[in-house]
Amino acid sequence: MSARVGGSNDVKEGHMRVFDVAGTNVNVANANGHLYGFDDTCTHMGCSLANGRLTGTVVTCACHGSQFDVTSGAVLRGPAERPVRSRTVQVKGDDLFIDA
Ligand code: FES
């Protein structure tokens, strides 16, 4: 089931934004005009990935430098070992939906 979390233009290109989805912080990254959703909590020690840096489709955690592929949640560089959960993001008209 998906939930409406905001507007279709809420996340600008090259930026990330966190939305509350059923009590979980979900990050939506706009990479090259495409929106990708994933759980915002770094699997290393729990920092918010939104405080990190988005470069293309790679998010780098500000705490200890782990990198994740925003398109899949996969770990690209440790110290994190587990992927972040990927979420389906949909734009319907002016609305932004994320899978809960
Ligand atoms: S909490 Fe993200 S790399 Fe350590």
Side-chain angles (χ1 to χ4, degrees):
M1 199 178 83
S2 61
R4 183 192 181 279
V5 294
S8 57
N9 293 317
D10 283 357
V11 188
K12 304 298 178 208
E13 185 160 342
H15 288 79
M16 299 181 281
R17 183 160 168 183
V18 176
F19 297 93
D20 182 328
V21 179
T24 299
N25 286 335
V26 175
N27 188 325
V28 175
N30 186 333
N32 309 315
H34 295 278
L35 298 177
Y36 300 99
F38 52 92
D39 286 0
D40 185 58
T41 303
C42 181
T43 57
H44 178 229
M45 291 182 71
C47 287
S48 168
L49 292 173
N51 291 330
R53 190 175 69 247
L54 179 66
T55 307
T57 57
V58 177
V59 60
T60 302
C61 182
C63 288
H64 313 98
S66 290
Q67 291 185 325
F68 299 89
D69 182 339
V70 302
T71 70
S72 65
V75 176
L76 299 176
R77 185 178 79 187
E81 296 179 347
R82 289 175 292 117
V84 288
R85 178 182 167 189
S86 184
R87 303 271 189 156
T88 301
V89 176
Q90 287 180 292
V91 171
K92 295 178 187 168
D94 293 336
D95 299 319
L96 182 66
F97 291 83
I98 300 176
D99 273 7

